[in-house]
Amino acid sequence: VQTIFAKNILIATGSKPFRPGGIPFDGKRVFDSDSINQISYLPKSIAISGSGIIAIEYAKIFSNLGADVTLIIRDRSPRNALTKIGLDKDVAATLVADLVASGIHIERGAQVAEFNVPTGSSTAPMRLKLEGKNGGSLATGQTEELRVDAYLAAVGRKPNTDGLNLGYAEIDIDEYGGILVDSNLRTSAKTGNVYAAGDILGRPFLASTGVAQGRATLVSIFGDNKEALESPCIEIEGAEDQLCTAGGVSSAGESFDPASLATNPFAFPTGVWSSPEASYFGLSKQQAEELGMEADEGMSLYAECLRGRVFSPNGLLKLVYEKSSGRVLGVHIVGDDACELIHYGMELVKAKRTIMDVNESLYSAVTYHEMYKIAAQAALDQAGARKRRAAVGRYLSERNRSSRRKAS
């Protein structure tokens, strides 16, 4: 045993995939969301359990590689499952529609009850027996058994705290194993010099927030909090405690709440790296209304801007705004480059720009950023916008029918 002495200690051991009990993980036919990266063959068919970002990303990856993909979700509605993790309802519906259009099968309200993995053959398909959510019955006519080459459980992650003997150091953890810290990212260790940052704290399990927490920890240990990078506080009347993170995720201090990274829509942009991409920052209309705000939204279809119509017509950009002031409260995007486009939307929200500000701005032609102006115009003329979207929808339907006829 080697003893190491230090004035301060930072625990940043990351996270690992959550592995539900009863699944025979072997890294050969049955994978988690890390071990799947070591797969040595391209399966002809794969079943994926999960309805979150990681499950969708892998579903599209294997579908694009030519595999027959089945997505197994416990919720009866795939769209509802995605809105539960923060996606706007129309963005979620677009992603689900793309999954179906890509040929991905979705088993709704289901889970795997039994695994039958052949032991004498590496090529024979494995059999998965399905049951209803929480062990209930499947819907009438629903598939009861799947035969696939591989299975992936993409059902979340958990902090790497096992084996750290945190109890001996009197470091408290939450029910999921995440280390509990104070506003300076200091743990409950009585010595007062043990800190934690990154996935070890729990959600949202993102590289960007982990880096920000690491920097905040170093500021707490070595720097003056007053010198930390500033970012504006998003002030929503009556909801400051939930939504205001003064100093942002890159600085520590009284206002820094690590837990807010899992629930605060103003803390960081969220991206889904599928094809199409999806991303959002700020509030959805539903979230704004739940906070007692009168909100509305303006939408632009990708096909309404020239670049989208030519190169990638399927997708949308939505601006959520406060009716009384026109202030932009949230931005939601699904389509090409959504995870890049969101950062301009983030600045609109943080700078408290209004729908009128966006409408009066000039955007370069043949860029996706034109959709911000189109969405702002839609907010100011809802009836006209609906007519334009309907016309674009008819154009897209005819274009897609024409493409299918040529392909056949």
Side-chain angles (χ1 to χ4, degrees), residues 66-367:
D68 184 28
V69 179
T70 300
L71 195 59
I72 305 169
I73 66 171
R74 289 161 52 86
D75 201 297
R76 287 296 307 169
S77 168
R79 189 185 75 169
N80 290 346
L82 289 172
T83 57
K84 289 176 182 178
I85 62 174
L87 290 178
D88 168 82
K89 60 182 178 61
D90 292 319
V91 170
T94 302
L95 284 177
V96 173
D98 175 77
L99 292 175
V100 174
S102 299
I104 295 172
H105 315 288
I106 303 178
E107 294 295 336
R108 299 165 169 82
Q111 61 188 35
V112 180
E114 184 179 317
F115 294 81
N116 187 330
V117 184
T119 56
S121 172
S122 60
T123 58
M126 57 190 296
R127 300 199 308 274
L128 307 179
K129 182 180 179 181
L130 303 184
E131 63 183 3
K133 180 180 178 180
N134 297 326
S137 300
L138 294 167
T140 302
Q142 191 167 356
T143 301
E144 297 182 356
E145 183 178 272
L146 296 174
R147 291 174 176 261
V148 294
D149 291 337
Y151 170 82
L152 165 62
V155 289
R157 302 187 66 83
K158 59 178 292 187
N160 272 329
T161 51
D162 296 342
L164 294 183
N165 201 15
L166 297 176
Y168 179 79
E170 300 184 337
I171 295 175
D172 296 331
I173 60 175
D174 63 21
E175 58 184 312
Y176 304 106
I179 294 179
L180 298 174
V181 294
D182 64 13
S183 61
N184 289 302
L185 292 152
R186 185 184 291 112
T187 71
S188 59
K190 288 188 176 180
T191 54
N193 65 340
V194 181
Y195 299 78
D199 285 8
I200 196 73
L201 304 182
R203 292 179 62 193
F205 300 113
L206 296 175
S208 55
T209 54
V211 170
Q213 289 170 336
R215 182 192 183 284
T217 306
L218 295 180
V219 170
S220 294
I221 296 173
F222 300 110
D224 183 346
N225 288 341
K226 295 180 181 179
E227 296 178 357
L229 293 178
E230 295 289 334
S231 63
C233 176
I234 304 298
E235 297 174 359
I236 299 294
E237 185 176 352
E240 290 188 11
D241 289 342
Q242 300 97 311
L243 300 176
C244 179
T245 310
V249 297
S250 291
S251 44
E254 289 184 3
S255 62
F256 185 86
D257 177 14
S260 75
L261 291 177
T263 58
N264 184 352
F266 296 118
F268 57 92
T270 297
V272 182
W273 293 96
S274 59
S275 53
E277 298 173 13
S279 193
Y280 66 92
F281 181 84
L283 298 174
S284 66
K285 181 182 177 183
Q286 179 180 342
Q287 289 172 324
E289 291 175 341
E290 289 173 353
L291 290 170
M293 306 177 69
E294 287 192 48
D296 209 337
E297 54 193 24
M299 184 193 305
S300 169
L301 302 179
Y302 266 59
E304 289 185 88
C305 77
L306 183 57
R307 181 175 184 135
R309 182 173 297 189
V310 173
F311 295 108
S312 181
N314 298 314
L316 64 88
L317 181 149
K318 181 182 290 188
L319 300 177
V320 178
Y321 63 95
E322 185 180 32
K323 283 186 177 181
S324 59
S325 65
R327 176 183 167 189
V328 180
L329 301 172
V331 181
H332 306 265
I333 313 172
V334 57
D336 269 14
D337 292 339
C339 295
E340 295 285 351
L341 290 166
I342 195 62
H343 293 94
Y344 174 70
M346 177 176 69
E347 290 307 311
L348 292 178
V349 176
K350 294 171 69 174
K352 305 179 184 179
R353 299 301 185 193
T354 67
I355 289 294
M356 289 71 75
D357 292 331
V358 180
N359 182 55
E360 292 169 2
S361 297
L362 181 63
Y363 298 84
S364 294
V366 201
T367 67

